[in-house]
Amino acid sequence: MLVLLGRRRSPAAFAASVVAVSLGAAVLTACAGDPEPASAPRGPADLVLSASQLPSGYSSAPLSVADLVAGNQAAFDASRSTRVTPEYCRPTSDAALNGALTADNSAVLAARDGATGTLVEVVTTVSRDIDADRLTTTGRCSRTTTEITTGHLAGSRVLTVYTELPSPDVAGGVLPGEQMLVTRSDVTTTLPDGGVRRQVGFAGYAVLDRPASGPVTVQLTVSGMPTRASNPPTAPVEPIDPASFSALFDTAVERVTAP
């Protein structure tokens, strides 16, 4: 899964209008008394969470859009040789979105809690395929197995169990064409020597289209630290409790949907 610093909101644009009215031979000129503020469209940098909105224990970490894209691409390249069961549950949305992200159309916020995990938020004008996300994380794809066939982890088996969580309630409801999906993932990796690692993660995706922002995708992921390999395995630590993640994703969505 996929997602830095708080951004300064775009200044409002102000304009004064002068109206000329002709009545026969007379010309009357009227000037607007007080300029009316016109809100400038909010871009991705204005819509990411601010550092002050990070959950307790998390602090901002440096991450550029280019670095995010490069890191994701390396992971996607490595995953091409894996075997996913069921095969039709192989994820596609992350790779498709990653290739379209640039510094011009996206903004990223990253944060870390050294003891528990990593948070990444991406806001972009590129649309994410949430239908594909839903297909590969729910129903018959809510439980998948991935076999690693190359690299130092070759022979490992990764069991991922997805649980769909409630989506945020937004003012006015979800508009036509908008979508949201929130999931929890419980990952169990069995290494060739029999050792087992466990990890918990959360992901929230929203495709929104509001007058003040235009079409944007908001994605927020919080990934927990994997446990040390052991047999029997140890219980993983949640990087954030489910209620706090839901509240944080709600806040991320509100930054777009608020007038």
Side-chain angles (χ1 to χ4, degrees):
M1 296 180 298
L2 307 175
V3 208
L4 263 168
L5 299 174
R7 309 287 181 156
R8 186 172 302 166
R9 299 175 67 87
S10 299
F14 293 91
S17 60
V18 178
V19 181
V21 180
S22 296
L23 295 176
V27 178
L28 303 178
T29 302
C31 296
D34 293 317
E36 300 238 349
S39 297
R42 290 178 289 173
D46 304 304
L47 299 173
V48 291
L49 294 165
S50 65
S52 64
Q53 293 173 313
L54 291 172
S56 176
Y58 281 83
S59 56
S60 298
L63 182 66
S64 68
V65 173
D67 288 340
L68 175 71
V69 169
N72 286 342
Q73 191 59 52
F76 300 145
D77 291 343
S79 71
R80 288 175 183 162
S81 61
T82 62
R83 291 193 290 264
V84 178
T85 306
E87 172 59 31
Y88 53 78
C89 297
R90 183 182 292 273
T92 59
S93 296
D94 283 324
L97 182 70
N98 193 65
L101 299 180
T102 69
D104 293 329
N105 62 28
S106 309
V108 60
L109 167 75
R112 292 192 184 95
D113 180 325
T116 57
T118 302
L119 177 154
V120 178
E121 184 196 16
V122 176
V123 178
T124 178
T125 57
V126 181
S127 181
R128 183 182 179 93
D129 189 350
I130 292 185
D131 285 334
D133 286 314
R134 194 176 301 280
L135 176 66
T136 57
T137 59
T138 64
R140 288 180 292 177
C141 291
S142 62
R143 185 182 182 92
T144 64
T145 301
T146 302
E147 298 176 66
I148 301 174
T149 61
T150 60
H152 69 283
L153 291 177
S156 300
R157 294 171 61 88
V158 182
L159 171 66
T160 305
V161 178
Y162 296 100
T163 304
E164 186 172 0
L165 303 178
S167 295
D169 291 325
V170 297
V174 178
L175 302 181
E178 296 185 333
Q179 294 188 72
M180 287 189 284
L181 177 66
V182 184
T183 62
R184 170 193 171 116
S185 59
D186 288 85
V187 181
T188 302
T189 302
T190 303
L191 304 174
D193 64 3
V196 179
R197 293 175 178 165
R198 297 179 63 193
Q199 185 178 16
V200 176
F202 295 91
Y205 307 117
V207 172
L208 305 166
D209 188 356
R210 299 295 164 127
S213 64
V216 295
T217 294
V218 178
Q219 64 178 51
L220 177 68
T221 60
V222 182
S223 303
M225 301 288 288
T227 62
R228 291 181 177 274
S230 63
N231 192 2
T234 57
V237 176
E238 291 181 334
I240 186 173
D241 68 83
S244 295
F245 179 81
S246 294
L248 185 65
F249 185 58
D250 192 2
T251 300
V253 168
E254 282 181 352
R255 288 182 70 90
V256 176
T257 59

